[in-house]
Amino acid sequence: MPRRRLLAGAGCTLAMIGATLAILAAGPSEAAVPRGPVLEERLLVGLRVKTDADRAFIHHVVELVEQGKLPLRLVDSTYFWARQKAERSRRLYNNPMVYFRPALVARAARLGIRI
């Protein structure tokens, strides 16, 4: 009986290794891109979104990223910049969205992308 459990455990481990290798073989573009709720939740929480208009804007941004029209790198770099900028401001510490939205719109416009 113990031998069967050992083999069953090895089978599970091999399956997990196989799944991990399949994900890694897919390449960084598919495996590393956060999709849907993961990206949207990170933006909503990290930018401390408070209004429905800002929620709709974040949802639209996530849709553009998923469609491949807006580079994820652009969204991420703007996100981190806005959080850092808000941390330095005593008055706007709890509202990084104030910096994120106009910066993302301006940076996307330079690439010819309309948000």
Side-chain angles (χ1 to χ4, degrees):
M1 204 65 140
R3 192 172 204 193
R4 271 192 184 166
R5 282 189 183 160
L6 180 62
L7 292 177
C12 290
T13 305
L14 289 175
M16 289 174 56
I17 291 171
T20 304
L21 289 175
I23 290 171
L24 293 175
S29 61
E30 294 175 21
V33 176
R35 299 271 181 202
V38 175
L39 175 61
E40 189 165 0
E41 186 175 331
R42 178 169 57 94
L43 292 174
L44 289 172
V45 172
L47 295 171
R48 298 182 180 105
V49 174
K50 296 173 177 85
T51 66
D52 290 335
D54 287 342
R55 277 186 191 81
F57 177 78
I58 294 297
H59 184 72
H60 182 65
V61 166
V62 171
E63 284 179 348
L64 292 175
V65 169
E66 287 178 345
Q67 294 168 2
K69 295 179 181 177
L70 185 64
L72 179 63
R73 262 181 119 170
L74 181 75
V75 175
D76 278 343
S77 62
T78 308
Y79 165 80
F80 290 117
W81 172 83
R83 284 180 49 95
Q84 190 175 44
K85 182 101 170 148
E87 282 180 15
R88 285 189 237 136
S89 171
R90 296 182 100 190
R91 196 181 63 157
L92 297 173
Y93 177 75
N94 286 325
N95 199 3
M97 189 67 189
V98 171
Y99 296 110
F100 178 78
R101 187 175 190 158
L104 186 63
V105 169
R107 293 180 74 198
R110 279 187 235 142
L111 296 175
I113 303 167
R114 187 168 178 242
I115 299 179

